[in-house]
Amino acid sequence: MNPEDFLIELIKIPSESGNEKEIGDFIVKRLKNNFKIIKQQVNNNFNILATKGNPKILISSHLDTVQGNLEVKKDKEYVYGRGACDTKSQIAASIFAAETALSQGLNNFGLLFTVQEEGSFAGAKKACEILPESVKLISFGEPTNLKIVKGHNGVVHFKIICRGKAAH
């Protein structure tokens, strides 16, 4: 299956935030013969960590889309549908890049696909528990107007405890 047809298959799979199991199963089926797979339970869904060797770099994307339906179609230039840009095109590109790397004898890399990123960030929060210590770099596939960025939006939670004496 070529990358464009694979992308169309991904777009056809409904994957609204909180309902990513079907797309997760589709991706695991594709990757399981060439990668070590970890399916990490996140609520009723699962993150996917697919590695080859001792990964130094991960390519990551989220599996979920925002709510709603869009017709899946393509023209001479573009593929359209729910998630075509954010982030099913990145999922397809990263899988094909990983398979190309394998065919050229490369290893020590992996793919990380997380769930529930369009709302609660539950997948990314949980994924921290399964990241191999060998990983030095994670590249996130997100639409950025074809520009490389050196940062990524996210959420950081702190618990601050202050001790002292009340004074005026």
Side-chain angles (χ1 to χ4, degrees), residues 37-123:
I37 303 289
I38 294 174
K39 289 170 60 174
Q40 180 190 40
Q41 199 68 36
V42 180
N43 301 320
N44 294 327
N45 299 291
F46 55 89
N47 289 332
I48 302 166
L49 177 63
T51 58
K52 191 66 170 184
N54 190 25
K56 308 257 185 284
I57 184 170
L58 293 179
I59 300 172
S60 182
S61 192
H62 60 87
L63 297 177
D64 59 325
T65 61
V66 294
Q67 294 180 350
N69 288 321
L70 292 174
E71 179 185 357
V72 180
K73 61 183 180 177
K74 68 178 185 171
D75 60 25
K76 290 181 182 180
E77 289 188 76
Y78 300 106
V79 174
Y80 301 89
R82 176 66 60 212
C85 177
D86 186 9
T87 64
K88 292 183 179 183
S89 57
Q90 289 86 352
I91 295 167
S94 63
I95 289 172
F96 273 82
E99 291 172 346
T100 299
L102 287 177
S103 74
Q104 295 176 4
L106 299 174
N107 58 25
N108 297 330
F109 67 91
L111 301 168
L112 174 64
F113 299 110
T114 60
V115 295
Q116 296 177 309
E117 299 309 299
E118 293 293 353
S120 69
F121 301 104

Side-chain angles (χ1 to χ4, degrees), residues 110-149:
L111 301 168
L112 174 64
F113 299 110
T114 60
V115 295
Q116 296 177 309
E117 299 309 299
E118 293 293 353
S120 69
F121 301 104
K125 291 174 186 174
K126 187 90 169 160
C128 294
E129 298 171 8
I130 60 169
L131 292 179
E133 287 186 27
S134 58
V135 172
K136 305 295 181 208
L137 176 71
I138 301 176
S139 174
F140 292 93
E142 279 287 331
T144 57
N145 295 321
L146 298 176
K147 294 183 172 113
I148 295 175
V149 294

